[in-house]
Amino acid sequence: MAFNPSFIGKSFVVSDSDARIRDPNNLAAVTPKVILKGTKVLVTEVKTLPTGSKSRMVFANTTSESGSDVGWTSTRNLQGSFINETLDLLPAGTSVDQKGPNAAWSHGDFLGQVDLVEIVDNGLEIERMTLTTVEPYLMMVEAAKAAGISVAINSGFRSYGEQDLLFRGFKQGLPGFNLAAPPGMSNHQNGIALDIAVSGGAGTPVYNWLAKNATSFGFVRTVSGEPWHWEFDPKKAATAKAQGTCKAAGISN
Ligand SMILES: [Zn+2]
């Protein structure tokens, strides 16, 4: 399955009035040069810099629409802040490590190695989802956008190692750690589960749009009491749709 990052060939408007050009040899450093607000640019390349334990800041190398070099700038300076843009493909490769970075799990069972795609989330952090989930997800985002609804995720795939860390922190009662399932047991280790920013849940415009339309794109609610948790499961979604609901069998409220 071929993969092209979503930003390729797309035009972005510079939306910040102080959109600094970065030093190409040191993206952490701003230069005195700015890209004028309102300028339309194309993004040719993306790089990230770590800004903490989890988050990375995304930078774009830009050109004018006619192709002349403009320079590197933070994607936060671009209209939409790069939310829902896909970055790198993280291929499953040939690893047999069931606890490796591409290993998918569900309910304690190892599912296999999956191709993952990086995508910018609602909080400008980088999440992952399976390659097969990305295309229907972005189609859903576009359809929502046409209806005036912004769909973005807060959370996607978690690797075995990441879940292990969260679980240990929770068990030890470390500050900043919440209730977490043991590694292999989290419903975010399958790569098809997405927490969508529904800001409050049932009844909000985003939720209502999803409740009506998500099953048409193969997404279905799979956890009772979690209106933000959706999974790309075309079979379950089709069944739910035929029954006039957005929830898989047995899922309440
Ligand atoms: Zn979830």
Side-chain angles (χ1 to χ4, degrees):
M1 205 171 168
F3 170 75
N4 289 308
S6 59
F7 58 83
I8 297 293
K10 217 188 248 186
S11 191
F12 292 87
V13 177
V14 173
S15 57
D16 194 288
S17 54
D18 190 29
R20 296 298 188 94
I21 291 178
R22 301 272 172 157
D23 177 347
N25 298 312
N26 175 18
L27 292 175
V30 291
T31 73
K33 284 192 231 163
V34 295
I35 313 173
L36 283 182
K37 188 178 172 178
T39 304
K40 276 188 184 171
V41 294
L42 299 174
V43 175
T44 56
E45 188 187 1
V46 155
K47 282 182 184 172
T48 64
L49 277 185
T51 54
S53 59
K54 183 174 181 265
S55 56
R56 283 182 284 162
M57 201 169 168
V58 186
F59 296 93
N61 195 9
T62 60
T63 68
S64 71
E65 288 186 305
S66 59
S68 60
D69 193 41
V70 175
W72 287 89
T73 196
S74 166
T75 53
R76 289 168 192 233
N77 296 327
L78 306 178
Q79 204 165 61
S81 302
F82 239 52
I83 292 171
N84 285 322
E85 296 301 336
T86 59
L87 309 178
D88 281 337
L89 172 69
L90 311 172
T94 54
S95 170
V96 291
D97 184 1
Q98 297 196 357
K99 297 177 181 177
N102 290 74
W105 290 73
S106 180
H107 304 291
D109 294 324
F110 171 65
L111 300 179
Q113 306 290 345
V114 291
D115 290 322
L116 294 166
V117 172
E118 292 183 318
I119 185 162
V120 180
D121 79 7
N122 195 47
L124 309 187
E125 290 188 337
I126 300 170
E127 307 289 344
R128 287 147 288 160
M129 65 178 77
T130 63
L131 179 58
T132 43
T133 303
V134 167
E135 198 180 334
Y137 169 72
L138 290 180
M139 280 171 64
M140 181 167 77
V141 166
E142 282 308 306
K145 196 173 167 188
I149 300 289
S150 297
V151 168
I153 64 169
N154 283 324
S155 195
F157 175 82
R158 274 187 213 152
S159 71
Y160 193 97
E162 287 164 330
Q163 190 64 30
D164 191 37
L165 210 71
L166 293 175
F167 182 63
R168 283 193 219 187
F170 159 65
K171 288 292 267 187
Q172 292 166 19
L174 298 180
F177 285 85
N178 301 316
L179 176 66
M185 300 298 286
S186 164
N187 53 26
H188 278 269
Q189 287 184 252
N190 56 19
I192 60 169
L194 306 176
D195 286 345
I196 298 179
V198 292
S199 54
T204 64
V206 178
Y207 182 83
N208 289 347
W209 188 90
L210 290 170
K212 209 174 153 198
N213 299 287
T215 54
S216 301
F217 297 91
F219 290 87
V220 62
R221 274 194 53 196
T222 58
V223 180
S224 294
E226 294 193 0
W228 56 86
H229 185 95
W230 298 76
E231 297 193 14
F232 179 61
D233 189 325
K235 228 173 162 178
K236 281 185 190 169
T239 305
K241 188 180 177 183
Q243 293 168 349
T245 172
C246 63
K247 298 165 189 160
I251 304 306
S252 61
N253 64 332

